[in-house]
Amino acid sequence: MTTAVDKDLSLLRTGDRPQRDLFLDNRSVPTAARYARIEAAEADWIVPLVADIEADTAPLATRADWVAALAVLLAEERDGAPSSRYLADEATREQFAVVVEEFAPDGLTEAQNFFPAVARLPIRAQMAVMRVMIDEFGCGNIAQAHSQLYRDLLAELDLPDELPEVLRDTNDETYAFLNSFYWLASRAVDVEYFLGALAYLEAAIPDAFAFQARACERLGIANGRYYTEHIHIDDFHMREMQTAIKEYEAARGLDPTKLLVGATLLSSLLGAAMDAAVAKAVAKTAGR
Ligand SMILES: [Fe+2]
Ligand SMILES: [Fe+2]
């Protein structure tokens, strides 16, 4: 049954958790008041955060410099943070379930917040991003949609699978990771931040999800396909994102530094979200 909350998630706002409230506004039909709230929250958070990252980033001259800088970032992260290694090798089924529920607001809404960026790209770059999006939505086949693969995983772990329900206890770090894409796709004036962030994400996920896939195998979880499918398909998505960036450059010119700023932003937000998720899983299950 559709509830009032399904129609207007902003009804769940509490006024005392800025990242959660921002996510609820981002997921609601915008009114002028709501949009002003979103802009004010972003002006207090992601706008200065991006400016700080940009101030700390050595300027890149060319697209080739960006490709090289991304390779360095990915190589640094390949072995995984201690939180990822814990998940792969030590977490109990109960702890793994806490992490799966923590990322459910992402899995259940996967790629939806990328759409506004498509319309802001030159046409050939749109095509490359659309090829990524088509896969994210299972080529129109619900059984293959990434959000459905996540639902299958939630079901196996006896977790709720509707968005309002999975927001019971979500960390601010997870909301910040999710909220970043709403800004990147819709409000960051330079769309290179979005392109760099998504190019990073697609390139980082095959390594990052290898830890979750290992956990599923070790714990005998049958619906680890959400992770293994990403390990497979994001290799293509990573290349499509580089095509999108190349086409963007051909049509409009490119600021490669902004690509790296987007990548660095996502790397830090996703890393913090994973660390917080695993810390929560350990804390929740302590003494059991
Ligand atoms: Fe996906
Ligand atoms: Fe992908």
Side-chain angles (χ1 to χ4, degrees):
M1 193 185 77
T2 303
T3 66
V5 164
D6 291 318
K7 287 192 174 176
D8 184 358
L9 281 180
S10 80
L11 292 172
L12 294 172
R13 293 176 88 257
T14 55
D16 60 354
R17 290 191 53 195
Q19 287 294 347
R20 184 173 192 276
D21 287 351
L22 177 56
F23 179 75
L24 296 170
D25 276 336
N26 274 327
R27 296 289 310 177
S28 302
V29 175
T31 60
R34 219 169 260 164
Y35 212 87
R37 259 188 341 230
I38 290 170
E39 288 182 318
E42 290 174 344
D44 280 347
W45 164 57
I46 197 163
V47 173
L49 180 58
V50 168
D52 284 351
I53 294 172
E54 196 137 2
D56 286 344
T57 303
L60 303 179
T62 66
R63 189 164 52 80
D65 290 347
W66 138 256
V67 171
L70 177 62
V72 170
L73 179 59
L74 294 169
E76 282 168 5
E77 296 180 345
R78 193 146 292 136
D79 292 340
S83 56
S84 296
R85 294 201 299 271
Y86 178 85
L87 201 59
D89 300 326
E90 291 176 60
T92 63
R93 187 182 172 97
E94 204 182 355
Q95 289 173 334
F96 186 73
V98 173
V99 173
V100 170
E101 184 170 6
E102 180 62 35
F103 283 100
D106 179 42
L108 292 176
T109 65
E110 186 145 341
Q112 293 171 1
N113 50 5
F114 302 164
F115 278 114
V118 175
R120 302 174 58 209
L121 297 169
I123 188 69
R124 286 178 183 277
Q126 287 185 20
M127 296 301 101
V129 175
M130 278 310 296
R131 289 192 289 273
V132 173
M133 298 296 275
I134 286 167
D135 287 338
E136 301 292 342
F137 291 84
C139 302
N141 173 1
I142 183 70
Q144 305 297 329
H146 293 183
S147 58
Q148 182 61 38
L149 300 181
Y150 210 86
R151 270 203 172 84
D152 297 343
L153 177 63
L154 289 166
E156 182 177 351
L157 295 169
D158 289 322
L159 294 167
D161 68 354
E162 291 303 328
L163 189 56
E165 295 175 84
V166 299
L167 300 177
R168 294 179 298 197
D169 188 31
T170 309
N171 289 328
D172 288 340
E173 289 86 349
T174 300
Y175 284 124
F177 163 63
L178 291 165
N179 285 330
S180 67
F181 267 107
Y182 291 89
W183 179 80
L184 289 162
S186 294
R187 285 173 292 278
V189 173
D190 299 304
V191 78
E192 287 113 314
Y193 293 125
F194 169 85
L195 291 171
L198 189 54
Y200 162 78
L201 198 61
E202 301 289 0
I205 279 178
D207 288 329
F209 278 6
F211 295 95
Q212 279 97 321
R214 217 154 87 199
C216 287
E217 218 178 296
R218 180 175 58 79
L219 295 167
I221 293 167
N223 286 286
R225 186 156 165 247
Y226 175 80
Y227 303 112
T228 53
E229 175 63 15
H230 277 95
I231 291 170
H232 161 70
I233 202 99
D234 281 353
D235 193 46
F236 295 96
H237 293 176
M238 160 181 76
R239 286 183 247 161
E240 292 291 9
M241 288 310 300
Q242 292 301 340
T243 302
I245 288 166
K246 202 166 147 186
E247 296 292 358
Y248 184 90
E249 181 177 42
R252 293 194 193 156
L254 181 74
D255 182 345
T257 310
K258 290 187 164 64
L259 299 172
L260 184 57
V261 171
T264 307
L265 173 76
L266 249 288
S267 163
S268 77
L269 293 175
L270 184 55
M274 179 52 85
D275 288 351
V278 173
K280 180 200 267 181
V282 171
K284 264 193 157 178
T285 55
R288 285 190 206 170

